[in-house]
């Protein structure tokens, strides 16, 4: 029961000290809360002096996704603005200082633009997109190597930001256990580079209109799909390689520090929870490819990222292989080519292997066939069996390809006599130089199982000297030699090849000879 006071009795004094303490505690809590709010918002309501704008440039296909991330990363002090520009204009615009940051569509593009600018661009991988086959609806291929050699495959133009995507896919797949060696990789790239029909404009739409598919990142397919709903995309059963999207700092001088700081905030936005959700809405994925965007290819099995050195070599080979081959093939038909090799003969092995080559290489190539043995053609050591021409060309009712196959089938019946190696090589090289065509990579492929047996003809020293005189850097023609069996004069064949910056190889089996031919095709004249 509470205390009662008699009338007229003064009330007890209130405990003022306790109330003051309570007021101080309350004030302290308010101060802590205010300080916490200021810290949490990161100074958005604090003064920051003059505000600034940092510009980040991107290809139109990537700009929507970048705007979402820029909105997350901007604050009261710094606005991150997005500028659209076709990827092919990136180097020129960055050189002119049109942007502080650049959203690069692939690591290969970042490296290429860095080389064009003559300086390294600091980069950070901020997003990813699986590489897919997009365009018309096609059955799911078993592998990328299968997809890239089918009739439905199309190729983008050389200035497309997706030009290297097929190479990335092929190298990534070959990196898997049992994925194949460099020779198999080169064969796939050669077939794709020379056989795939080029498409202009938007590659996905153009390929679909032609009933084909192109190799592009998933985001390119989704961007094209906005304008044409019947497009389709698929990933081979082996899985999808990752296209890396990078944020590059392009600013220099006094703007570099602000650009670097803005780039760090933008990179953090990409990897935040809100940023990953925005990526999926805008057709991209995080670096692990886990967040599948709506309308894309769904969950994918990610192929391993390709080794950078191996990828660089493959990209260089591909750019060279994209130029069709013009080759004069010169075959030794001396008597020793009848020597047994297992169940066949040397000439039989060569004919079988050459048949496979002629059957498989694309129409865009031009090939001719000579044979040689001592004095079998009116005193000359060499015979022109089939003049060099494009494989799709027709003479009479036969294509060049069929004429070559007929010529190859005739090889066993031409075997006789000795080896007139040096005079033949000089005559053939003169012909190849005369027939040089800048639209092709021009080569002479020489196959022999022995050494020169001609008395009184051109010597090896004379041949090498003449070859060096005929070499013209503006009209390059390489000689690639293949020694058939251990009886071949490999030192002489190497000197011949070296004189024209060609290659010298040897083969004891049909499989090795085919591999040597593929290697010769891959090492084009430049």
């Amino acid at each position: 029961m509470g205390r009662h006071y008699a009338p007229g009795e003064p009330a007890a004094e209130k405990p003022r000290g306790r109330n003051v303490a309570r007021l101080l505690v309350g004030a302290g809590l308010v101060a802590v809360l205010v300080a916490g709010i200021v810290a949490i918002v990161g100074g958005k309501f604090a003064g920051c002096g003059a505000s600034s704008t940092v510009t980040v440039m991107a290809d139109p296909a990537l700009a929507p996704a970048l705007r979402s991330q820029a909105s997350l990363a901007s604050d009261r002090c710094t606005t991150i603005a997005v500028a659209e520009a076709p990827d092919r204009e990136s180097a020129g615009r960055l050189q002119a200082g049109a942007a502080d940051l650049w959203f690069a569509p692939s690591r290969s593009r970042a490296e290429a633009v860095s080389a064009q600018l003559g300086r390294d661009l600091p980069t950070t991988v901020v997003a990813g997109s699986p590489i897919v086959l997009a365009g018309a609806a096609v059955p799911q291929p078993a592998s990328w190597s299968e997809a890239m050699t089918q009739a439905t495959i199309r190729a983008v133009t050389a200035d497309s930001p997706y030009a290297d995507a097929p190479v990335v896919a092929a190298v990534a797949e070959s990196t898997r256990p049992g994925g194949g060696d460099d020779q198999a990789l080169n064969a796939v790239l050669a077939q794709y580079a020379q056989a795939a029909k080029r498409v202009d404009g938007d590659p996905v739409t153009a390929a679909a209109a032609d009933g084909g598919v192109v190799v592009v990142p998933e985001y390119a397919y989704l961007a094209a799909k906005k304008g044409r709903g019947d497009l389709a995309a698929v990933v081979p059963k082996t899985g999808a390689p990752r296209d890396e999207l990078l944020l590059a700092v392009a600013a220099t001088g006094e703007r570099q520090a602000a650009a670097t700081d803005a780039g760090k905030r933008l990179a953090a936005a990409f990897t935040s929870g809100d940023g990953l959700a925005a990526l999926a809405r805008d057709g991209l994925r995080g670096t692990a490819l886990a967040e599948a965007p709506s309308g894309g290819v769904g969950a994918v099995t990610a192929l391993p990222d390709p080794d950078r050195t191996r990828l660089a070599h493959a990209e260089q080979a591909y750019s060279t292989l994209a130029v069709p081959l013009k080759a004069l093939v010169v075959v030794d038909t001396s008597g020793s080519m009848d020597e047994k090799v297992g169940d066949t003969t040397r000439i039989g092995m060569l004919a079988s292997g050459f048949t496979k080559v002629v059957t498989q290489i694309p129409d865009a190539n031009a090939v001719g066939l000579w044979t040689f043995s001592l004095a079998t053609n009116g005193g000359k050591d060499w015979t022109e069996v089939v003049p060099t021409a494009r494989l799709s060309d027709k003479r009479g009712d036969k294509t060049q390809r069929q004429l070559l196959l007929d010529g190859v089938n005739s090889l066993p019946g031409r075997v006789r006599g000795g080896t007139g190696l040096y005079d033949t090589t000089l005559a053939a090289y003169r012909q190849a130089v005369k027939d040089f065509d800048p639209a092709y990579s021009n080569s002479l492929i020489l196959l022999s199982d022995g050494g020169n047996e001609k008395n009184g003809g051109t010597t090896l020293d004379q041949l090498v000297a003449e070859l060096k005189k005929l070499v013209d850097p503006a009209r390059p023609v390489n000689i690639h030699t293949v020694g058939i069996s251990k009886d071949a004069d490999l030192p002489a064949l190497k000197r011949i090849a070296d004189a024209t910056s060609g290659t010298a190889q040897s083969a004891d089996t049909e499989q090795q000879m085919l591999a040597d031919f593929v290697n010769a095709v891959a090492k084009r004249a430049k």
Side-chain angles (χ1 to χ4, degrees), residues 217-269:
E218 181 187 45
Y219 72 79
Y221 156 67
L222 290 172
K225 194 176 181 181
K226 292 177 182 178
R228 180 171 169 174
D230 62 340
L231 299 177
V234 67
V235 171
K237 295 177 182 178
T238 48
R242 177 180 66 155
D243 176 45
E244 296 178 308
L245 295 111
L246 304 92
L247 195 60
V249 178
T252 58
E254 61 183 15
R255 291 196 59 82
Q256 188 173 28
T260 299
D261 181 64
K264 290 178 180 177
R265 293 205 311 277
L266 188 54

Side-chain angles (χ1 to χ4, degrees), residues 160-185:
S160 167
Y162 321 127
D164 290 332
V167 185
V168 173
V171 176
E173 183 174 75
S174 70
T175 304
R176 299 167 59 248
D181 56 16
D182 286 345
Q183 292 175 355
L185 175 63

Side-chain angles (χ1 to χ4, degrees), residues 320-501:
T320 305
L321 289 165
V323 180
L325 173 73
K326 185 172 187 178
L328 174 56
V329 180
V330 183
V331 176
D332 185 346
T333 53
S334 62
S336 57
M337 290 293 285
D338 259 341
E339 291 285 333
K340 295 288 289 184
V341 179
D343 295 333
T344 184
T345 61
R346 292 174 182 173
I347 195 66
M349 177 187 74
L350 189 152
S352 176
F354 195 18
T355 296
K356 292 182 174 67
V357 170
V358 173
T359 301
Q360 295 174 8
I361 60 175
D363 282 344
N365 295 283
V367 181
L369 175 63
W370 282 21
T371 59
F372 67 98
S373 57
L374 285 176
T376 54
N377 184 24
K380 295 187 298 184
D381 299 334
W382 61 90
T383 299
E384 183 181 60
V385 180
V386 183
T388 304
R390 184 183 166 101
L391 292 175
S392 59
D393 288 353
K394 294 193 74 172
R395 293 213 325 259
D397 61 349
K398 291 187 176 182
T399 64
Q400 176 74 359
R401 190 188 301 273
Q402 186 57 58
L403 290 170
L404 281 168
L405 290 172
D406 292 345
V408 172
N409 289 334
S410 74
L411 291 177
R414 297 175 180 271
V415 174
R416 66 180 65 85
T419 307
L421 179 61
Y422 300 156
D423 282 356
T424 297
T425 300
L426 184 56
Y429 192 68
R430 283 173 173 157
Q431 185 66 49
V433 170
K434 179 182 176 182
D435 292 343
F436 175 86
D437 188 331
Y440 292 84
S441 178
N442 297 256
S443 300
L444 186 157
I445 299 176
L446 176 66
L447 303 103
S448 176
D449 76 335
N452 185 65
E453 296 175 330
K454 184 172 185 176
N455 295 321
T458 303
T459 66
L460 179 59
D461 287 341
Q462 290 171 337
L463 171 61
V464 169
E466 287 299 313
L467 291 175
K468 289 181 177 179
K469 290 179 185 178
L470 290 168
V471 169
D472 181 355
R475 298 164 58 86
V477 179
N478 298 147
I479 298 178
H480 302 290
T481 63
V482 179
I484 305 297
S485 83
K486 293 181 174 59
D487 292 335
D489 189 346
L490 298 180
L493 292 175
K494 187 175 187 310
R495 285 191 64 189
I496 291 169
D498 289 347
T500 65
S501 300

